[in-house]
Amino acid sequence: MLEPREGIPPVTADADALAEVIATFAAGHGPVAVDAERASGYRYGQRAYLVQLRRAGAGTALIDPVGCPDLSGLGAAIADAEWVLHAATQDLPCLRDIGMIPARIFDTELAGRLAGFARVGLGAMVENILGYALEKGHSAVDWSTRPLPDPWLHYAALDVELLVDLRDALEEELARQGKLEWAHQEFAAIAAAPPAPPRKDPWRRTSGMHKVRRRRQMAVVRELWTARDRIAQRRDVSPGKVLGDAAIVEAALALPANVRALAALSGFGHRMNRRQLEQWQAAVDRARELPEADLPQPGQPVAGPPPPRAWADKDPAAAARLSAARAAVTQLAEGLNLPQENLIAPDTVRRLCWEPPAEPTTDAVASVLAGHGARPWQIDQVTPVLAAALLATPA
C-alpha cells in the first residue's frame, strides 16, 4: 500500500482544528486505530510528538501534541470505543501523559504472539495477514522536527490505515484457535495496569556497569549520570547526546584527579570545551570526596529469588524444581503454539519454584500464580503441569 485511501490529512495543531477532529471521531463508528510517534534517541523522555487515529466514518487524523498538548477531550469522545494499538505498552504511557486513556484495547502485536505468528512487527503482520507491504522507512526519525516532512506524515498515516483490518483478521484467527478469550483477558490487564513506578537507582542501568566493581567508582557513575540527566532534561535532548554511557564508565574506572586527566579519556576530549570538562570533573570530584558511609552499596536489594544461575549452590532442590517447571512450560507452550513468556511470566515460575506451597496441590499452585498476577486463562493452562513438576521434585 503506497497511499492512504483518503490521502494525507492536514496536521491538527490548534484548538479549533482539534475541536473538529473531536466532533468527527465522536460521530464515527467501530474501533479506533491509534498510534503515537516519539523522538527516542533525540529528546529527553518519551513524550508523543505525533498522534495518529483512524475510525470508520471519520477517516484519519494526524495530531500534533506540541500544538495540542491536552487531548483529554478527544480521549473522552472515543472513550466508549475499543482502541486498536500495535505494541500497546509502548504507546500507552505517552498517550496517558496527554490525556488519552482507553477503557478497552486490542493489541495487534500481542494478538499475533498469542496466535503463534513468528514475526509480529506491524509491517510483517500486515504483509503476512493482509497481503499489503507498508513503507517502514521513517520509524527512527526525530519526530520532534517541525514542520514534519510530508514523507514522514505519509508513513504515519499508513501506520493506522490498516490497523482495524488487521485487528479483524486477528480476532478471527484467535477465535479459530480458541484463544480469543485469552486475548481479551490480556488486553484488559494492559488497559487496567497503573503507570509504572519510577525506577529505583536508574543510574545502575548504565551500559557497561558490570565493569564497575568498587563503591567509589560506583559513586562516580551515580554523580555523572545524575549531572547528565539534569543537563539533558534542561536542554530537552536524549541523555546519550550529552554524554555517552561508555564515557561515564571510563571515568568511573579511571577516577581522574583533574580536568587534564579527564580530557585524556575516551568520550571526553573530542569536541568538549573547558567548561564542559569542568562540570564533569566536578561530578567526579564530588564522588571522590564522599565519606565512606555515603558510597552506594554494590548491587541492589533484590525482591524475590536470586538469579537462577545461583540456585544450584544455594538451594539444589529449588534448582531441580525450576528445571522441571521450565521444561513443562516449554512443552506446553509449543503445544499451544505461543511464546513461553506469554503463556506465563518467567518471573512467576521462578517465584513459585523458589518458595513453593507446602502442599503443591493444583489449588495451592493456582493461588500462588494468581497472587503474582497471572490471568485466569494462564492459571487454567499451566497449573496442572506446574503442580506435576513440583510434585515430581519434592524438597
Side-chain angles (χ1 to χ4, degrees):
M1 177 166 281
L2 300 176
E3 294 292 333
R5 277 169 274 198
E6 297 97 16
I8 303 173
V11 176
T12 299
D14 60 55
D16 290 341
L18 179 60
E20 288 186 27
V21 168
I22 291 173
T24 300
F25 272 77
H29 55 90
V32 183
V34 183
D35 190 24
E37 305 295 348
R38 298 175 297 281
S40 304
Y42 298 94
R43 295 288 181 175
Y44 185 87
Q46 292 295 315
R47 66 169 294 183
Y49 283 96
L50 187 70
V51 175
Q52 309 101 282
L53 303 98
R54 183 173 178 83
R55 191 179 196 186
T60 297
L62 302 177
I63 303 175
D64 178 5
V66 177
C68 302
D70 181 5
L71 297 187
S72 55
L74 175 60
I78 58 174
D80 293 337
E82 177 189 80
W83 296 19
V84 184
L85 303 101
H86 191 80
T89 54
Q90 294 182 20
D91 287 341
L92 287 178
C94 69
L95 290 171
R96 182 184 289 113
D97 288 344
I98 52 177
M100 295 187 67
I101 304 172
R104 292 185 297 129
I105 70 163
F106 190 105
D107 185 335
T108 49
E109 184 197 51
L110 181 51
R113 292 183 185 281
L114 294 174
F117 287 95
R119 298 169 62 216
V120 293
L122 180 59
M125 293 191 70
V126 165
E127 186 167 358
N128 188 20
I129 296 172
L130 302 179
Y132 289 102
L134 289 180
E135 180 189 354
K136 298 299 292 181
H138 301 295
S139 59
V141 298
D142 180 2
W143 287 96
S144 68
T145 301
R146 293 296 183 272
L148 286 164
D150 283 345
W152 299 10
L153 297 175
H154 181 275
Y155 157 88
L158 284 176
D159 256 8
V160 291
E161 183 76 16
L162 296 170
L163 210 48
V164 173
D165 297 326
L166 180 61
R167 171 235 179 272
D168 292 344
L170 284 166
E171 181 179 64
E172 186 177 320
E173 178 60 22
L174 287 167
R176 187 188 69 79
Q177 295 186 23
K179 298 176 179 176
L180 186 56
E181 174 56 27
W182 302 2
H184 286 160
Q185 291 181 26
E186 292 297 304
F187 301 157
I190 292 173
R199 279 203 175 103
K200 180 177 171 60
D201 292 346
W203 57 270
R204 292 183 185 271
R205 298 176 63 86
T206 303
S207 181
M209 190 69 191
H210 62 281
K211 302 175 187 174
V212 181
R213 305 288 186 183
R214 291 158 48 196
R215 294 174 64 201
R216 184 74 57 187
Q217 295 172 331
M218 293 169 65
V220 172
V221 173
R222 182 175 64 185
E223 292 294 336
L224 285 171
W225 189 99
T226 302
R228 179 184 71 174
D229 194 67
R230 188 167 54 246
I231 294 166
Q233 189 169 12
R234 186 180 72 242
R235 289 169 48 189
D236 190 19
V237 297
S238 168
K241 289 188 175 297
V242 176
L243 186 67
D245 280 8
I248 290 178
V249 171
E250 182 101 358
L253 296 176
L255 286 170
N258 51 50
V259 167
R260 182 176 179 182
L262 181 69
L265 300 177
S266 174
F268 287 94
H270 184 57
R271 292 186 302 177
M272 196 171 282
N273 61 40
R274 177 81 183 185
R275 186 182 65 80
Q276 290 173 313
L277 287 168
E278 286 175 348
Q279 74 183 0
W280 300 128
Q281 185 61 44
V284 173
D285 290 343
R286 286 194 296 273
R288 291 171 62 95
E289 295 163 7
L290 279 176
E292 197 76 17
D294 292 340
L295 296 177
Q297 295 297 324
Q300 296 171 284
V302 178
R309 63 179 178 273
W311 286 28
D313 292 330
K314 290 179 177 292
D315 189 339
R321 287 193 296 269
L322 182 61
S323 178
R326 282 174 163 174
V329 169
T330 298
Q331 185 176 11
L332 180 59
E334 289 174 353
L336 294 171
N337 190 29
L338 51 78
Q340 297 173 44
E341 63 270 19
N342 292 114
L343 175 58
I344 188 69
D347 183 63
T348 297
V349 176
R350 288 193 291 269
R351 289 172 183 269
L352 171 69
C353 293
W354 185 252
E355 293 184 352
E359 294 291 333
T361 62
T362 53
D363 286 348
V365 170
S367 177
V368 172
L369 298 179
H372 291 307
R375 266 69 70 194
W377 77 269
Q378 295 176 313
I379 295 170
D380 290 344
Q381 293 296 320
V382 303
T383 293
V385 300
L386 288 177
L390 295 180
L391 285 168
T393 53

